[in-house]
Amino acid sequence: MKEIFALGVGLSTICRIELAEACGYKVSALYHYNADRTGDWDHGYKIVGSFDDLFSQDIKGKIFLLTMGDMKIRKTLTEKILLMGGLVPTLIHPTAIISPHAKISDNGVLIEAQTIVQSDVIIKDGAFICGQSMICHQAQLDEYCFIGPQALVGAVNHVGSFAFIGQKSLLISRKNIEIGENAMVGAAAVVTKSVTDNTIVVGSPAKVLGK
């Protein structure tokens, strides 16, 4: 088993740990964003220090798991880890079905259980795909976007950087839908046309709620 260190201690931490373990990693320790919980335990894993403690060490060649949901923080930490010679691997649950013709970044992509990624899909750094989602052929997911549980990104659609696609939402296939950067699609929304940057849409069919 390869050793991996988890950054971030919160409600979803154990879910990310379970993904790493399913991928064959052994989680050796947790790091919290500050020193308030140093010495505590979370689900049987020891919190050994803060992010500052971690980055004061030589981390070259070490492997890291980022467990927080804030994608901007994930990007900042990933870039720092890579700059210092550490690794943030892509983790794909063994029950996910991935086309051999999909192109998935090696840096920090998380794909949870029972997800389907079809042919010619492109998934860029740090994208996070929750369980039982489907990414249809020729779709593209840009850096650090979030795809909620059981969401469906239809064929030939494009999800921009840091966009949020809510659980059970549907982006209709072959509509060349563009989901802009930082856009948010509400849970169970049915998206039939493009969404501009920084825009929130909800409902079926999805309509603009605000910015």
Side-chain angles (χ1 to χ4, degrees), residues 4-10 12-14 16-17 27 29-33 47-52 54-55 59 62-69 73-74 76-78 80-81 87-88 110:
I4 195 168
F5 299 91
L7 275 67
V9 183
S12 62
T13 297
I14 188 59
R16 307 294 89 79
I17 287 175
V27 177
L30 307 183
Y31 287 88
H32 193 42
Y33 75 94
I47 303 169
V48 299
S50 67
F51 292 175
D52 287 342
L54 173 65
F55 291 125
I59 65 169
K62 292 184 177 180
I63 304 172
F64 296 93
L65 166 69
L66 305 184
T67 74
M68 66 288 298
I73 294 175
R74 292 175 65 85
T76 299
L77 289 174
T78 297
K80 188 168 186 176
I81 289 168
L87 302 171
V88 183
L110 300 180

Side-chain angles (χ1 to χ4, degrees), residues 13-138:
T13 297
I14 188 59
C15 300
R16 307 294 89 79
I17 287 175
E18 289 172 353
L19 173 60
E21 291 177 337
C23 293
Y25 289 92
K26 176 183 178 182
V27 177
S28 296
L30 307 183
Y31 287 88
H32 193 42
Y33 75 94
N34 63 26
D36 290 352
R37 296 195 58 188
T38 298
D40 290 348
W41 294 77
D42 186 90
H43 291 84
Y45 301 90
K46 189 172 184 180
I47 303 169
V48 299
S50 67
F51 292 175
D52 287 342
D53 294 329
L54 173 65
F55 291 125
S56 68
Q57 306 171 33
D58 179 6
I59 65 169
K60 187 174 181 179
K62 292 184 177 180
I63 304 172
F64 296 93
L65 166 69
L66 305 184
T67 74
M68 66 288 298
D70 187 313
M71 305 304 266
K72 297 289 179 68
I73 294 175
R74 292 175 65 85
K75 182 177 188 293
T76 299
L77 289 174
T78 297
E79 289 175 346
K80 188 168 186 176
I81 289 168
L82 295 177
L83 186 64
M84 295 179 66
L87 302 171
V88 183
T90 284
L91 301 179
I92 300 174
H93 196 279
T95 64
I97 299 173
I98 310 296
S99 165
H101 300 291
K103 297 179 180 178
I104 301 174
S105 167
D106 293 329
N107 291 325
V109 174
L110 300 180
I111 300 179
E112 293 190 325
Q114 300 178 28
T115 291
I116 297 173
V117 177
Q118 294 185 341
S119 302
D120 298 325
V121 165
I122 297 172
I123 302 177
K124 297 188 177 182
D125 291 358
F128 189 169
I129 308 174
C130 293
Q132 300 182 351
S133 298
M134 177 178 283
I135 315 301
C136 296
H137 58 91
Q138 282 91 34

